[in-house]
């Protein structure tokens, strides 16, 4: 469920384009006016505003925003202006580029998307950047981390209503043998099961693993793997069990301790606002006993804070 608060008064893309043009005129940019419009328009409305702006002023709105805005506000607004699949492709391309290499971002993005989302992402990525995601992953990653990303991108993971209990028990046994039962870890088994099974099947394996061995699969992953492979496996399992909780934890991690990981904060808020941010906010409040809005309020500042809080919508108590 989206957390986006849309304007109560019907607006036209043409009027919005005019208001944005006015916000850019003169000395400096009226950031508040930009936020007031763009943080309260859905993906379709934002696309229509871009079309109108281009038609009326013969200028690309994204180029104009990039020249008028600064810093973290610029990063967040420019990312927000894209539709979801295109935005994912941009995040992933930057995360896999040698100049901005961010394997954590690339891993989290790939391992938290559904099969249909990944299929669309692959097509958009190729049409935008003229290269296949798989090729960029091969260039920038190694070992088991590379294997899990490539496998997760290509495995079908059929969503069937019926769970094969026999296969669930087999998988739980195979994971135990590949990890906790032996010295060292057979990562290939973890990669195969986590990339090829549906979320519902993984939930059942998680439950069976606990029943059979008295330990959580989460703990087994943490004990038996490390680094980016561990991150990939935990992201896959976390999203299978409860995606809202997974993203609530990711947001908490981004703002915990000294300094804020703004790249992650922007990425999660902007990509989840129109999908499930209301549920993420509820999970956050349940897990940490405070609202996500309050944490963003305390960890950010200025127009950047205003924009993120606008996307989060009203505080839930």
């Amino acid at each position: 469920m989206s957390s986006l608060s849309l304007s109560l008064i019907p607006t036209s893309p043409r009027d919005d384009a005019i208001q944005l043009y006015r916000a850019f005129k003169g000395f400096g940019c009226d950031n508040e006016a930009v936020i007031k419009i763009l943080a309260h328009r859905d993906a379709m409305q934002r696309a229509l505003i871009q079309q109108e702006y281009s038609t009326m002023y013969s200028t690309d709105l994204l180029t104009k925003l990039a020249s008028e805005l600064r810093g973290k506000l610029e990063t967040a607004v420019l990312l927000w202006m894209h539709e979801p699949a295109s935005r994912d492709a941009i995040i992933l391309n930057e995360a896999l580029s040698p100049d901005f290499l961010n394997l954590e971002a690339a891993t989290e993005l790939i391992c938290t998307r559904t099969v249909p989302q990944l299929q669309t992402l692959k097509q958009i990525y190729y049409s935008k950047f003229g290269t296949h995601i798989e090729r960029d992953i091969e260039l920038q990653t190694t070992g088991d981390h590379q294997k899990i990303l490539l496998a997760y991108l290509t495995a079908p993971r059929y969503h069937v209503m019926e769970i094969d209990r026999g296969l669930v028990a087999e998988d739980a046994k195979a994971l135990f043998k590949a990890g906790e039962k032996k010295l060292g870890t057979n990562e290939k088994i973890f990669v195969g099961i986590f990339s090829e099974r549906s979320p519902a099947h993984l939930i059942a394996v998680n439950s069976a693993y606990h029943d059979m061995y008295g330990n959580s699969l989460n703990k087994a992953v943490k004990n038996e793997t490390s680094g980016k492979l561990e991150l990939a496996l935990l992201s896959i399992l976390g999203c299978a069990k409860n995606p809202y909780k997974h993203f609530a934890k990711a947001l908490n991690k981004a703002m915990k301790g000294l300094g804020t990981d703004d790249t992650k904060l922007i990425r999660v808020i902007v990509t989840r606002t129109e999908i499930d941010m209301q549920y993420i906010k509820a999970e956050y409040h349940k897990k940490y006993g405070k609202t996500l809005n309050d944490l963003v309020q305390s960890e950010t500042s200025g127009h950047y804070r205003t924009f993120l809080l606008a996307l989060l919508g009203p505080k839930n108590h």
Side-chain angles (χ1 to χ4, degrees):
M1 189 179 164
S2 172
S3 61
L4 193 63
S5 306
L6 297 175
S7 173
L8 295 173
I9 305 156
T11 58
S12 79
R14 183 183 169 82
D15 288 345
D16 283 342
I18 293 167
Q19 292 300 322
L20 286 168
Y21 181 76
R22 285 179 185 157
F24 300 144
K25 280 186 81 171
F27 186 68
C29 174
D30 185 347
N31 289 331
E32 282 179 23
V34 171
I35 292 166
K36 197 175 177 185
I37 296 167
L38 297 180
H40 299 284
R41 303 292 184 270
D42 63 25
M44 177 67 79
Q45 290 171 320
R46 298 193 302 275
L48 292 171
I49 293 167
Q50 287 183 67
Q51 281 176 24
E52 280 292 341
Y53 196 93
S54 179
T55 305
M56 292 169 76
Y57 305 111
S58 303
T59 306
D60 176 53
L61 179 57
L62 295 184
T63 307
K64 192 65 184 163
L65 285 165
S67 71
E68 294 289 339
L69 303 176
R70 295 288 176 270
K72 291 172 282 204
L73 175 66
E74 178 193 345
T75 306
V77 171
L78 286 177
L79 210 49
W80 173 243
M81 290 304 292
H82 296 278
E83 56 84 30
S86 182
R87 185 194 294 137
D88 277 356
I90 290 163
I91 293 169
L92 195 53
N93 181 255
E94 184 169 300
L96 291 171
S97 73
D99 296 339
F100 301 97
L101 196 61
N102 185 342
L103 293 180
E104 183 185 330
T107 303
E108 285 190 335
L109 191 142
I110 290 168
C111 295
T112 57
R113 298 305 186 255
T114 63
V115 171
Q117 284 172 334
L118 288 174
Q119 285 169 343
T120 308
L121 173 60
K122 285 194 278 187
Q123 291 164 3
I124 302 251
Y125 194 95
Y126 184 77
S127 68
K128 257 186 176 316
F129 305 110
T131 181
H132 294 286
I133 293 175
E134 293 89 340
R135 182 182 171 274
D136 285 350
I137 286 169
E138 282 167 0
L139 286 172
Q140 303 302 342
T141 62
T142 56
D144 293 308
H145 178 227
Q146 183 183 98
K147 284 174 191 161
I148 187 74
L149 293 186
L150 292 175
Y152 202 73
L153 271 170
T154 52
R157 290 189 293 284
Y158 300 111
H159 283 253
V160 285
M161 296 307 287
E162 293 275 321
I163 299 292
D164 181 339
R165 294 288 160 194
L167 184 58
V168 166
E170 273 177 40
D171 283 349
K173 202 177 288 182
L175 288 167
F176 181 70
K177 276 187 181 173
E180 293 187 287
K181 195 180 178 187
K182 70 194 289 286
L183 193 64
T185 308
N186 184 347
E187 286 88 357
K188 191 180 175 185
I189 300 293
F190 279 83
V191 168
I193 291 172
F194 274 68
S195 63
E196 291 167 16
R197 306 295 190 249
S198 72
H201 183 92
L202 275 181
I203 292 168
V205 171
N206 179 64
S207 179
Y209 193 95
H210 187 268
D211 291 345
M212 291 160 78
Y213 305 110
N215 197 5
S216 77
L217 194 47
N218 243 49
K219 272 209 179 114
V221 168
K222 286 178 183 175
N223 292 338
E224 297 299 324
T225 62
S226 60
K228 299 295 181 288
L229 174 62
E230 180 189 343
L231 174 66
L233 297 175
L234 290 177
S235 296
I236 292 166
L237 188 57
C239 273
K241 291 194 291 185
N242 185 338
Y244 319 127
K245 190 175 180 180
H246 172 82
F247 287 114
K249 283 161 82 173
L251 285 166
N252 192 61
K253 192 179 169 192
M255 292 182 276
K256 220 169 87 176
L258 198 63
T260 298
D261 183 346
D262 290 290
T263 305
K264 187 177 206 166
L265 183 62
I266 291 167
R267 182 173 75 247
V268 178
I269 291 179
V270 168
T271 58
R272 305 315 295 187
T273 288
E274 290 181 278
I275 300 173
D276 51 11
M277 186 50 79
Q278 285 291 30
Y279 300 128
I280 293 167
K281 282 161 65 180
E283 277 293 340
Y284 191 91
H285 189 250
K286 194 165 110 186
K287 184 165 176 60
Y288 300 106
K290 52 189 170 187
T291 71
L292 186 55
N293 294 56
D294 282 343
L295 196 65
V296 169
Q297 176 81 32
S298 67
E299 293 296 322
T300 59
S301 61
H303 291 112
Y304 167 55
R305 171 166 66 194
T306 306
F307 181 69
L308 292 185
L309 288 174
L311 294 188
L312 289 176
K315 196 192 292 191
N316 45 348
H317 298 282

